[in-house]
Amino acid sequence: MNKFRFLTSGESHGMCLDAIIEGLPSNIGIDTEYINAELARRQEGYGRGGRMSIESDTVQIKSGVRFGKTTGAPLCLEIENKDWENWRIPMSVDPVDMGDENVSEIVNSKKITRVRPGHADLAGVLKYNQKDVRNILERSSARETAARVAVGAVAKSVLKEFSIEGKSTVLQIGNAFDEESMKQEIDNAKEHGDTLGGRFEVVFKNLPVGLGSFVNWDRRLDGRLAQAVMSIPAVKAVEIGAGCLCAALSGAKTHDEIFYDSDNSKYYRKTNNAGGIEGGMTNGEDVVLKVTMKAIPTLKQPLQSVDIQTKEAYTAHFERSDTCAIEACAVVAESMCAIILADAFLEKFGGDSLEEIKVNYYNYIKNSG
Amino acid sequence: MNKFRFLTSGESHGMCLDAIIEGLPSNIGIDTEYINAELARRQEGYGRGGRMSIESDTVQIKSGVRFGKTTGAPLCLEIENKDWENWRIPMSVDPVDMGDENVSEIVNSKKITRVRPGHADLAGVLKYNQKDVRNILERSSARETAARVAVGAVAKSVLKEFSIEGKSTVLQIGNAFDEESMKQEIDNAKEHGDTLGGRFEVVFKNLPVGLGSFVNWDRRLDGRLAQAVMSIPAVKAVEIGAGCLCAALSGAKTHDEIFYDSDNSKYYRKTNNAGGIEGGMTNGEDVVLKVTMKAIPTLKQPLQSVDIQTKEAYTAHFERSDTCAIEACAVVAESMCAIILADAFLEKFGGDSLEEIKVNYYNYIKNSG
Amino acid sequence: MNKFRFLTSGESHGMCLDAIIEGLPSNIGIDTEYINAELARRQEGYGRGGRMSIESDTVQIKSGVRFGKTTGAPLCLEIENKDWENWRIPMSVDPVDMGDENVSEIVNSKKITRVRPGHADLAGVLKYNQKDVRNILERSSARETAARVAVGAVAKSVLKEFSIEGKSTVLQIGNAFDEESMKQEIDNAKEHGDTLGGRFEVVFKNLPVGLGSFVNWDRRLDGRLAQAVMSIPAVKAVEIGAGCLCAALSGAKTHDEIFYDSDNSKYYRKTNNAGGIEGGMTNGEDVVLKVTMKAIPTLKQPLQSVDIQTKEAYTAHFERSDTCAIEACAVVAESMCAIILADAFLEKFGGDSLEEIKVNYYNYIKNSG
Amino acid sequence: MNKFRFLTSGESHGMCLDAIIEGLPSNIGIDTEYINAELARRQEGYGRGGRMSIESDTVQIKSGVRFGKTTGAPLCLEIENKDWENWRIPMSVDPVDMGDENVSEIVNSKKITRVRPGHADLAGVLKYNQKDVRNILERSSARETAARVAVGAVAKSVLKEFSIEGKSTVLQIGNAFDEESMKQEIDNAKEHGDTLGGRFEVVFKNLPVGLGSFVNWDRRLDGRLAQAVMSIPAVKAVEIGAGCLCAALSGAKTHDEIFYDSDNSKYYRKTNNAGGIEGGMTNGEDVVLKVTMKAIPTLKQPLQSVDIQTKEAYTAHFERSDTCAIEACAVVAESMCAIILADAFLEKFGGDSLEEIKVNYYNYIKNSG
């Protein structure tokens, strides 16, 4: 079974988000402030609307860590939803008294029967047999990714013990490819009540050779990374290394020639079209993914849709204030990659405490030169 | 646990490839000739070299099917390697007598110490601590995908019972986008001893609404498809629907408006930028993936690399005759998608016999309008 | 992947226990009071000491349920530890100021270096490289089973929708086999500072034919139940149906003859030595398990052990007040069985809402007569 | 995901049994003759009938091993069924010509509509919607355990590299507890056309401390062993260490006191009621399971049952010649335990080659004293 397993729970306007992480080794340093900093990174970025600043997510670690270090026990991470007070009645876990006029009015005011294009709404109500679209959108909301970022911060904490670090860079927003024009593109979209997606790069450095494997399809690291990143709401494309460009490149220009540095007893490359993965394994170069996110589907410009109760057409207008969430998405993608890489790392090196893993790791590095 | 589970085994020059599939319902029609036809599709395509025609793969079903129908028991599918006779000694399972000069000469002639860029070779020998690269490349070879196509044919046989069908189309090879220029591009590359990759589309039609789910990251269908396709050797990018194009599209142009056809009590769309998946679920439109394959890394043009025994640089030249295997790759991608879709389908509808699943399926279709 | 997945977290003296359950269908009725009643059942039983009454566990459902029904989203269940206030410092998640004398005194007073026989203590500190046994025993404590009972109550809520119900009966405590002598046995053990185990039966009624399967070893229901029950702390034997008795019975006396009730178009048995499972599947009779629990390993009678810091021998005396926890263990076993059965049920019948599953279920019942 | 994964396929009278094993490290010595010797052990034992000697199973390794060592690639193991020639028509994979009188006569003569008590027959035909019981019994037959023994021999080969070895001993057959009376019991049962079950012990020696874990229920080694053993056809009880006896023992007599051997820097016990597992982990003592098998359900003595086609009662008489298969069952149980232990071992120590695992293993042994 996977070393690094986790489940998340929680709704966009529910009481809180939770995550349980299981399979961690002991003695990994976990810093609440570091997790909070990661959560803050997810809330930043040009093009975000008002809600983000209200949220200012912070995590509470409820188990699995003692005096700043993991014990091997599962971690429970909780992120409160700050405006829960306003949602206690319409999002009540227990049945409410619909005979009470105040209550029924509040509840009914939050009922939704209009499905938004580009969301889980329509497929969700059909699959789960719901009359109130809120029962779908509360969970399918990108709010859930805050929990993933908290989990990802724990994964990054594991990797950091081995000097493995990841970062992301936005490459494109709409038709803009540099920072200044990206801002203009966002301002322009905002003015028109429109939204934007984009494309970003995630890079992890200092990975050892041999994470993942070619021996069976589901052990391949490229596949596992692709699943993790494609599972982020709004992501529509995942590329590794040169990615889509490979369609146009001939073999002579695609493959990264291999050299040997005899001073350091180390193989190396001068190019990295492979994005650090060959044969489904890390090859020692940086792991590089490029990820495309579609524009936020909640926008002010009218979109045609249907009311699932009346089956009548309507034109959707939304007051959602985010114009572009590409930077948030990049942080989530970093997190998902960190989770997969930490899992593959722990699987390769075994061990149950940081100390044991370090011994295994350094012996492998020494012996596999 | 997954409904549709499978494992494959076998080496490029071993005795045979095998696959065991487990979790199938009973009473699904399985036709050996259909599987063979799929295997033949994998071997075709402009740009393939000589070996393909030698192979002419055929499957032997060894268990799990009786009188043409599944019984619920696991299927074992075997594909013989036609030139096994020539490899009995160098690929012997049992130890061979290296004191016998004939034997040792044959064995040594097949030993490989030069790692090829773009392959599993280098990372593989370091990870698995091998001196002979053959112990890596025999399994990491794309030969293994023949077993996946056989498994995929079984998955397609399940889907066909519900009129779900998939096909693939090559969109790009090098810088060519139509059939005539694709052929020229291949002829040209062949002349220069170079190779080519490309980009193709896979489309599945007639899927019910609600396969996959948004409730947890690893239930999302888009993620599961992305893993399955990215796990194919040489695939470097997976896009869903408009894919990478989404980076440039504004929200108003991205999302597929929803309409209701009251005559047929059915929701529908006029566009399909989502590629049939919203919120990690099928939405009733065609599921559309675009996949990019890198050029074959075994080429005649020189590539710089290293001998792992001597650590000396060398220049790789290969006699491999394939110039472009994009059509084969597309068939493999269809197969992997069929496997994921069949798994998600069986998971959604439950049931252990075709008859039971049909009852469940039609009731859902009727009730989820 | 499994339909009904869950993870738990939390320490014996930590802030709280949490569980996340994932893969549930929508529209299942979930009643906080029912879960609390199950938690209360776990805390009862003759032979329990003082701590139990202090605890009086109650659950808070934090997500996945709206107005008393599941939505399909994951459930988070939390059980507070009532005496957390007293443990804030020695169980602190964040580092504490060991320069502060008060703090260091509190922390040191809770450090444990003596490993108790019969517990995870010794193997745990060696595996996870810990100096303080508390870092092991906090998680390995049977306290964690409260979270399992909460999860089990949700599983029972699923099963109840199909009139499937389970209960447990204590069969043996020490050498006593009826209620009166069991109490005497407990009183007697208590007087001597000793503890007791026992044996109990778990029975589930009204299961449909065909949950689980014989087609692969890990789909067998008997195996899945055995794992779930053997995973409960202190359980040392799991029997199905006649269980260990089968060693002495000849074939003619073992197997349950099959009859057909043509009035109700139903097969039935007059005996149930199989315990409701043949070929790894439910056969329509009651599912019956017998479970043996060892005596609580924390007892006042002296047990010889070692201090892991000094490596010196010591004699363990404990003030723990529980003498026998067999009734609690039986409730936990019911819960684990309910989880496995709910998972197997949801797997067999598919579907994502209660309504869809009911249609599938009744059609199967009708068609499989 | 699990390190040691496997699937089996094949029917009792099909062409062959197959198994694919995946996740093995490289450079493990695999000896065909050793696997064959294990298969032979499964066919021996007092009380077996004629068919066993006909079978004389031998394995063919089809992949994953080169020159006697694993390469890291999946292993395919095949065991031919020796009397396949006689079953080509009634067990044909492809449809047969039922218009041909010879063919239809052969096929019909092998059709079964009478379900046997104590087998998968009845539940199987209802679950998988079959009219011919053969479509169930061919796969649910204990014949499949030959494949498990072959897989187990590979697991034992991994463990043997670390001097871990297992064996089994029959403890009870019917009411006999020593070898002489066991034979008499079998002779007696045979004379009456009856069959017998029994109880045996499986012991594994030399396991390191800390395989398995208490941190989550499904990581516990006791649970994983219990599932694996309970999944063997006819097994009805699994006990660990003192097992069912624990119900009668008080705490003072149950737990294994801990001592420290300062000469060898090693903890040890003088008793082993825990059966080598505390807190779901190996504690360094022998792992001991006791397993109860029910009597073979195919017997000459009449058992009442039903014809599923006519729904008429009938009295079952069988010509099956096995009277007792307890020794075979013990070999299968050894195999299943070896598989679980090898998986837990590989998970704990990580690594991808035997050499890497040995370094990790010895460092842990040295550091965890």
Side-chain angles (χ1 to χ4, degrees):
Chain A
M1 101 195 48
N2 282 14
K3 285 279 184 168
F4 192 110
R5 292 193 292 180
F6 73 103
L7 293 175
T8 71
S9 63
E11 286 84 23
S12 183
H13 299 96
M15 187 185 309
C16 52
L17 300 170
D18 284 272
I20 296 181
I21 309 174
E22 197 266 356
L24 285 175
S26 62
N27 301 334
I28 303 285
I30 300 292
D31 178 357
T32 302
E33 287 321 304
Y34 171 64
I35 304 177
N36 287 341
E38 288 287 293
L39 290 172
R41 285 183 65 215
R42 180 186 156 276
Q43 296 185 280
E44 290 158 10
Y46 200 79
R48 305 305 295 277
R51 192 187 173 195
M52 284 300 109
S53 50
I54 297 169
E55 285 180 7
S56 67
D57 289 328
T58 54
V59 75
Q60 184 175 28
I61 302 175
K62 299 193 141 192
S63 55
V65 177
R66 193 167 173 230
F67 305 146
K69 289 188 187 289
T70 59
T71 62
L75 268 64
C76 179
L77 308 178
E78 187 168 287
I79 302 164
E80 266 183 45
N81 281 332
K82 295 286 157 75
D83 56 350
W84 166 236
E85 276 311 316
N86 301 321
W87 288 86
R88 274 186 178 278
I89 293 172
M91 287 297 288
S92 171
V93 161
D94 293 313
V96 291
D97 178 8
M98 291 292 278
D100 179 326
E101 222 169 87
N102 276 345
V103 167
S104 71
E105 194 182 330
I106 293 171
V107 168
N108 289 332
S109 74
K110 296 299 185 189
K111 185 172 174 185
I112 298 173
T113 58
R114 296 174 164 191
V115 289
R116 297 163 303 163
H119 277 286
D121 295 8
L122 177 58
V125 294
L126 298 177
K127 179 182 177 81
Y128 288 104
N129 195 26
Q130 298 299 313
K131 307 291 176 224
D132 184 350
V133 181
R134 181 165 300 285
N135 287 340
I136 301 306
L137 64 84
E138 283 287 337
R139 178 64 188 165
S140 62
S141 158
R143 175 79 189 128
E144 184 262 346
T145 59
R148 299 203 205 180
V149 168
V151 173
V154 172
K156 287 178 175 181
S157 302
V158 174
L159 295 172
K160 221 173 357 183
E161 302 276 8
F162 301 88
S163 307
I164 300 165
E165 298 201 54
K167 68 181 184 61
S168 54
T169 315
V170 176
L171 304 173
Q172 176 187 359
I173 293 177
N175 292 302
F177 298 84
D178 64 69
E179 202 178 323
E180 196 48 42
S181 25
M182 286 175 185
K183 284 188 177 173
Q184 279 171 24
E185 192 90 353
I186 290 171
D187 291 343
N188 190 37
K190 190 170 185 176
E191 202 178 310
H192 292 81
D194 209 346
T195 56
L196 288 168
R199 187 158 166 267
F200 58 86
E201 187 175 70
V202 178
V203 179
F204 275 79
K205 287 182 178 301
N206 209 24
L207 290 154
V209 175
L211 303 189
S213 177
F214 56 86
V215 295
N216 205 59
W217 74 277
D218 55 1
R219 295 194 186 272
R220 289 194 169 245
L221 189 65
D222 37 10
R224 288 153 75 181
L225 288 167
Q227 174 180 22
V229 172
M230 193 69 97
S231 80
I232 301 168
V235 168
K236 300 300 280 185
V238 181
E239 304 167 72
I240 295 190
C244 290
L245 260 186
C246 292
L249 296 177
S250 84
K253 289 181 182 145
T254 299
H255 305 291
D256 306 308
E257 297 186 310
I258 304 175
F259 302 91
Y260 190 73
D261 169 1
S262 49
D263 291 347
N264 295 299
S265 303
K266 225 174 128 49
Y267 297 91
Y268 68 98
R269 319 285 176 120
K270 296 179 179 169
T271 55
N272 188 15
N273 284 329
I277 301 183
E278 286 173 314
M281 294 171 289
T282 49
N283 66 4
E285 303 300 309
D286 292 353
V287 165
V288 181
L289 284 90
K290 294 189 184 73
V291 184
T292 299
M293 181 198 194
K294 70 176 181 182
I296 292 169
T298 315
L299 62 164
K300 286 188 200 159
Q301 284 216 5
L303 280 178
Q304 195 68 18
S305 190
V306 177
D307 184 305
I308 59 167
Q309 195 169 298
T310 63
K311 302 291 195 286
E312 277 168 18
Y314 80 99
T315 305
H317 295 269
F318 295 95
E319 299 307 314
R320 166 101 179 194
S321 43
D322 281 0
T323 304
C324 182
I326 188 87
E327 293 187 46
C329 188
V331 173
V332 180
E334 276 178 35
S335 301
M336 293 305 296
C337 290
I339 290 166
I340 297 298
L341 292 170
D343 186 41
F345 188 96
L346 295 172
E347 184 184 304
K348 163 119 197 71
F349 294 109
D352 294 295
S353 65
L354 178 59
E355 298 75 24
E356 185 182 359
I357 301 170
K358 284 206 164 161
V359 170
N360 297 354
Y361 172 77
Y362 289 114
N363 274 310
Y364 173 73
I365 296 299
K366 193 180 67 189
N367 296 333
S368 69
Chain B
M1 105 194 48
N2 282 15
K3 285 278 184 170
F4 192 111
R5 294 193 292 180
F6 74 102
L7 293 174
T8 71
S9 63
E11 285 84 23
S12 183
H13 299 95
M15 187 184 310
C16 52
L17 301 170
D18 283 273
I20 295 181
I21 310 173
E22 197 266 355
L24 285 175
S26 62
N27 300 335
I28 304 284
I30 300 292
D31 178 357
T32 302
E33 287 321 303
Y34 172 65
I35 304 178
N36 287 341
E38 287 288 293
L39 290 172
R41 285 183 64 215
R42 180 185 156 275
Q43 297 186 280
E44 291 159 9
Y46 200 80
R48 305 307 293 278
R51 195 191 170 191
M52 284 299 109
S53 50
I54 298 169
E55 283 180 8
S56 66
D57 289 328
T58 54
V59 76
Q60 184 176 29
I61 302 175
K62 299 193 141 191
S63 55
V65 177
R66 194 169 172 227
F67 306 146
K69 288 188 187 290
T70 59
T71 62
L75 267 65
C76 179
L77 308 177
E78 187 168 289
I79 302 164
E80 266 182 45
N81 281 332
K82 295 288 159 73
D83 55 350
W84 166 236
E85 276 311 315
N86 302 321
W87 288 86
R88 275 187 179 276
I89 293 172
M91 287 296 289
S92 171
V93 161
D94 293 312
V96 290
D97 178 7
M98 292 292 277
D100 179 326
E101 222 170 87
N102 276 345
V103 167
S104 70
E105 194 181 330
I106 293 171
V107 168
N108 289 332
S109 74
K110 297 300 185 188
K111 185 173 174 185
I112 298 173
T113 58
R114 295 174 163 190
V115 288
R116 297 162 304 164
H119 278 285
D121 295 8
L122 177 58
V125 294
L126 298 176
K127 179 182 177 81
Y128 289 103
N129 195 27
Q130 298 299 312
K131 308 291 175 223
D132 184 350
V133 182
R134 181 165 302 285
N135 287 339
I136 301 306
L137 65 84
E138 283 288 337
R139 178 63 188 166
S140 61
S141 158
R143 175 79 190 128
E144 184 263 345
T145 59
R148 300 203 205 179
V149 168
V151 173
V154 172
K156 287 178 176 182
S157 302
V158 174
L159 295 172
K160 220 171 1 180
E161 302 277 8
F162 300 88
S163 306
I164 300 165
E165 299 201 54
K167 70 182 182 61
S168 54
T169 315
V170 176
L171 304 174
Q172 177 187 358
I173 293 177
N175 291 303
F177 297 85
D178 64 68
E179 203 178 322
E180 196 49 42
S181 25
M182 287 175 185
K183 284 187 177 175
Q184 279 171 23
E185 192 92 353
I186 290 172
D187 290 342
N188 191 37
K190 190 169 184 176
E191 204 179 310
H192 292 81
D194 209 345
T195 56
L196 287 169
R199 187 158 166 265
F200 57 87
E201 189 176 69
V202 177
V203 179
F204 275 79
K205 287 181 178 300
N206 209 24
L207 289 154
V209 175
L211 302 189
S213 178
F214 56 87
V215 296
N216 205 61
W217 75 277
D218 56 0
R219 294 195 187 271
R220 289 194 170 244
L221 190 65
D222 38 10
R224 288 153 75 181
L225 288 167
Q227 174 180 23
V229 171
M230 193 69 97
S231 80
I232 301 168
V235 168
K236 299 302 280 185
V238 181
E239 305 168 71
I240 295 190
C244 290
L245 261 186
C246 291
L249 295 177
S250 83
K253 288 180 183 147
T254 299
H255 304 291
D256 307 308
E257 297 186 310
I258 304 176
F259 303 91
Y260 189 72
D261 168 1
S262 49
D263 291 346
N264 296 298
S265 302
K266 223 174 128 51
Y267 298 92
Y268 68 98
R269 319 285 176 120
K270 296 177 179 169
T271 55
N272 188 15
N273 284 330
I277 300 183
E278 286 173 316
M281 293 171 289
T282 49
N283 66 4
E285 303 301 309
D286 292 353
V287 166
V288 181
L289 284 91
K290 293 189 186 72
V291 184
T292 300
M293 180 196 193
K294 70 177 182 181
I296 292 170
T298 315
L299 62 163
K300 286 187 199 159
Q301 284 215 4
L303 280 177
Q304 196 69 19
S305 190
V306 177
D307 184 306
I308 59 167
Q309 195 170 299
T310 62
K311 302 293 196 284
E312 278 168 17
Y314 79 99
T315 305
H317 296 270
F318 296 96
E319 299 307 312
R320 166 100 179 197
S321 41
D322 280 1
T323 303
C324 182
I326 188 85
E327 294 187 46
C329 187
V331 173
V332 180
E334 277 178 36
S335 301
M336 292 306 295
C337 290
I339 290 166
I340 298 298
L341 292 170
D343 186 41
F345 188 96
L346 295 172
E347 184 184 302
K348 163 116 197 73
F349 295 108
D352 294 295
S353 65
L354 178 58
E355 299 74 26
E356 185 182 359
I357 301 171
K358 285 205 164 165
V359 169
N360 296 355
Y361 171 77
Y362 289 114
N363 275 309
Y364 173 73
I365 296 299
K366 193 179 68 191
N367 295 335
S368 69
Chain C
M1 100 195 49
N2 281 14
K3 285 279 184 168
F4 192 110
R5 294 193 291 179
F6 74 101
L7 293 174
T8 72
S9 63
E11 285 84 24
S12 184
H13 299 96
M15 189 185 308
C16 53
L17 300 171
D18 285 272
I20 295 181
I21 310 174
E22 195 266 357
L24 285 175
S26 62
N27 300 335
I28 304 286
I30 300 292
D31 178 357
T32 302
E33 286 322 303
Y34 172 65
I35 304 177
N36 287 341
E38 287 288 294
L39 290 172
R41 286 182 64 214
R42 180 186 156 275
Q43 296 186 281
E44 289 158 10
Y46 199 80
R48 306 306 294 278
R51 192 189 173 194
M52 285 300 111
S53 50
I54 298 168
E55 283 180 8
S56 67
D57 289 329
T58 54
V59 76
Q60 184 176 28
I61 302 175
K62 300 193 141 193
S63 54
V65 177
R66 192 165 174 230
F67 306 146
K69 288 188 186 291
T70 59
T71 62
L75 267 65
C76 179
L77 308 178
E78 187 168 288
I79 302 164
E80 266 183 43
N81 281 332
K82 294 287 157 73
D83 56 350
W84 165 237
E85 277 310 318
N86 302 320
W87 288 87
R88 275 185 179 278
I89 292 171
M91 288 297 289
S92 171
V93 161
D94 293 313
V96 291
D97 178 7
M98 291 293 278
D100 178 328
E101 223 169 86
N102 276 345
V103 167
S104 71
E105 196 182 329
I106 294 173
V107 168
N108 289 332
S109 74
K110 297 299 185 188
K111 185 172 175 186
I112 299 172
T113 58
R114 295 174 163 192
V115 289
R116 298 161 303 162
H119 277 285
D121 295 8
L122 178 57
V125 294
L126 297 177
K127 179 182 177 81
Y128 289 104
N129 195 27
Q130 297 300 313
K131 307 292 175 223
D132 184 350
V133 181
R134 182 165 300 285
N135 287 339
I136 302 306
L137 64 83
E138 283 287 338
R139 177 65 189 164
S140 62
S141 159
R143 175 79 189 128
E144 182 263 345
T145 60
R148 299 203 207 180
V149 168
V151 173
V154 171
K156 287 178 176 181
S157 302
V158 174
L159 295 171
K160 220 173 357 183
E161 301 276 9
F162 300 87
S163 307
I164 300 164
E165 298 201 54
K167 68 182 184 60
S168 54
T169 316
V170 176
L171 304 174
Q172 177 186 357
I173 293 176
N175 292 303
F177 298 84
D178 64 68
E179 202 178 323
E180 196 48 43
S181 26
M182 287 177 186
K183 285 189 176 173
Q184 280 171 25
E185 192 90 353
I186 289 171
D187 291 343
N188 191 37
K190 190 170 184 176
E191 202 178 310
H192 291 82
D194 209 346
T195 56
L196 287 169
R199 187 158 165 268
F200 58 86
E201 188 175 70
V202 177
V203 180
F204 275 79
K205 287 182 178 300
N206 210 24
L207 289 155
V209 175
L211 303 189
S213 177
F214 56 87
V215 295
N216 205 60
W217 75 278
D218 56 1
R219 295 194 187 271
R220 289 194 170 246
L221 190 66
D222 37 10
R224 287 152 75 182
L225 288 166
Q227 174 180 23
V229 172
M230 192 69 95
S231 80
I232 301 168
V235 167
K236 299 301 280 186
V238 181
E239 304 168 74
I240 295 189
C244 290
L245 261 185
C246 291
L249 295 178
S250 84
K253 289 181 182 145
T254 299
H255 304 291
D256 307 307
E257 296 186 310
I258 303 175
F259 302 91
Y260 190 73
D261 169 1
S262 49
D263 291 346
N264 296 299
S265 301
K266 224 174 127 52
Y267 298 92
Y268 69 98
R269 320 285 176 120
K270 297 179 180 169
T271 55
N272 188 15
N273 284 330
I277 300 183
E278 285 173 315
M281 294 170 290
T282 50
N283 66 5
E285 302 301 309
D286 292 353
V287 166
V288 181
L289 284 90
K290 294 190 184 71
V291 185
T292 299
M293 181 198 193
K294 68 176 182 182
I296 292 170
T298 315
L299 62 163
K300 286 188 200 157
Q301 284 216 4
L303 280 178
Q304 195 68 20
S305 191
V306 178
D307 184 306
I308 58 166
Q309 195 170 299
T310 63
K311 302 292 195 287
E312 276 168 19
Y314 79 99
T315 305
H317 296 269
F318 295 96
E319 299 308 314
R320 166 101 180 195
S321 43
D322 281 1
T323 304
C324 182
I326 187 87
E327 293 187 48
C329 187
V331 174
V332 180
E334 277 177 36
S335 301
M336 291 307 294
C337 289
I339 290 165
I340 298 298
L341 293 170
D343 185 41
F345 189 96
L346 295 173
E347 183 184 303
K348 162 115 196 75
F349 295 108
D352 294 294
S353 66
L354 179 59
E355 299 74 24
E356 185 182 1
I357 301 170
K358 286 205 163 163
V359 170
N360 297 355
Y361 171 77
Y362 289 115
N363 274 310
Y364 174 73
I365 297 298
K366 193 180 67 189
N367 295 335
S368 69
Chain D
M1 108 192 45
N2 282 15
K3 284 278 184 170
F4 193 111
R5 294 193 291 180
F6 74 102
L7 293 174
T8 71
S9 63
E11 285 84 24
S12 184
H13 299 95
M15 189 185 308
C16 53
L17 301 170
D18 284 273
I20 296 180
I21 310 173
E22 197 267 354
L24 285 175
S26 61
N27 300 335
I28 304 285
I30 301 291
D31 178 357
T32 302
E33 286 321 303
Y34 172 64
I35 304 177
N36 287 341
E38 287 288 294
L39 290 172
R41 286 183 64 215
R42 180 186 156 275
Q43 297 185 280
E44 289 159 10
Y46 200 79
R48 307 306 293 278
R51 194 191 170 192
M52 285 299 109
S53 51
I54 297 168
E55 283 179 8
S56 66
D57 289 328
T58 54
V59 74
Q60 185 177 27
I61 303 174
K62 299 193 140 192
S63 55
V65 177
R66 193 167 173 229
F67 304 146
K69 289 187 186 291
T70 59
T71 62
L75 267 64
C76 179
L77 308 177
E78 187 169 289
I79 302 165
E80 266 182 45
N81 280 332
K82 293 289 158 73
D83 56 350
W84 165 237
E85 277 311 315
N86 303 319
W87 288 87
R88 275 187 179 276
I89 292 171
M91 287 297 288
S92 171
V93 162
D94 293 312
V96 291
D97 178 7
M98 290 293 277
D100 178 328
E101 223 169 86
N102 276 345
V103 167
S104 70
E105 195 182 328
I106 293 172
V107 168
N108 289 332
S109 74
K110 297 301 187 189
K111 184 173 175 184
I112 298 172
T113 58
R114 296 174 162 191
V115 288
R116 298 161 304 163
H119 277 285
D121 296 7
L122 178 58
V125 294
L126 298 177
K127 179 182 177 81
Y128 289 104
N129 195 28
Q130 298 299 314
K131 308 291 175 223
D132 184 350
V133 181
R134 182 166 300 285
N135 287 339
I136 302 305
L137 65 84
E138 283 288 336
R139 177 64 189 166
S140 62
S141 159
R143 175 77 189 129
E144 183 263 345
T145 59
R148 300 203 206 179
V149 168
V151 173
V154 172
K156 287 178 176 182
S157 302
V158 174
L159 296 171
K160 220 171 359 181
E161 301 277 9
F162 300 88
S163 306
I164 300 165
E165 298 201 54
K167 69 182 182 60
S168 54
T169 316
V170 176
L171 304 173
Q172 177 187 357
I173 293 176
N175 292 303
F177 298 84
D178 65 67
E179 202 178 321
E180 196 48 41
S181 25
M182 287 175 186
K183 284 187 177 175
Q184 279 171 23
E185 193 92 350
I186 290 171
D187 291 342
N188 191 39
K190 189 171 185 176
E191 204 179 308
H192 292 81
D194 209 344
T195 57
L196 287 168
R199 186 159 166 267
F200 58 87
E201 188 176 70
V202 178
V203 179
F204 276 80
K205 288 181 178 299
N206 209 25
L207 289 155
V209 175
L211 303 190
S213 177
F214 56 87
V215 296
N216 205 60
W217 75 277
D218 56 0
R219 294 195 187 272
R220 289 194 170 245
L221 190 65
D222 38 10
R224 287 152 75 181
L225 288 167
Q227 173 180 23
V229 172
M230 193 69 96
S231 80
I232 301 168
V235 167
K236 299 302 281 186
V238 181
E239 304 167 72
I240 295 189
C244 290
L245 261 185
C246 292
L249 296 176
S250 83
K253 289 180 183 146
T254 300
H255 304 290
D256 306 309
E257 297 186 312
I258 303 175
F259 302 91
Y260 189 73
D261 169 0
S262 49
D263 291 346
N264 296 299
S265 303
K266 223 173 126 52
Y267 298 93
Y268 68 99
R269 320 286 176 119
K270 296 178 179 170
T271 55
N272 188 16
N273 284 330
I277 300 183
E278 286 173 315
M281 292 170 291
T282 49
N283 66 4
E285 303 302 308
D286 292 353
V287 166
V288 181
L289 284 91
K290 293 190 186 70
V291 184
T292 299
M293 180 198 192
K294 70 177 181 181
I296 292 169
T298 314
L299 62 162
K300 286 187 201 160
Q301 283 216 5
L303 281 177
Q304 197 69 20
S305 190
V306 178
D307 184 306
I308 58 167
Q309 195 170 299
T310 63
K311 302 292 196 283
E312 277 168 18
Y314 79 100
T315 306
H317 295 270
F318 295 96
E319 298 308 312
R320 166 101 178 196
S321 41
D322 281 2
T323 304
C324 181
I326 188 85
E327 293 187 46
C329 187
V331 174
V332 180
E334 277 178 35
S335 301
M336 292 307 295
C337 290
I339 290 166
I340 298 298
L341 293 169
D343 186 39
F345 189 96
L346 294 173
E347 184 184 303
K348 163 116 196 74
F349 295 108
D352 294 295
S353 65
L354 178 59
E355 298 74 25
E356 185 182 0
I357 301 171
K358 285 203 163 164
V359 170
N360 296 355
Y361 171 77
Y362 289 114
N363 274 310
Y364 173 73
I365 296 299
K366 193 180 67 190
N367 296 335
S368 70

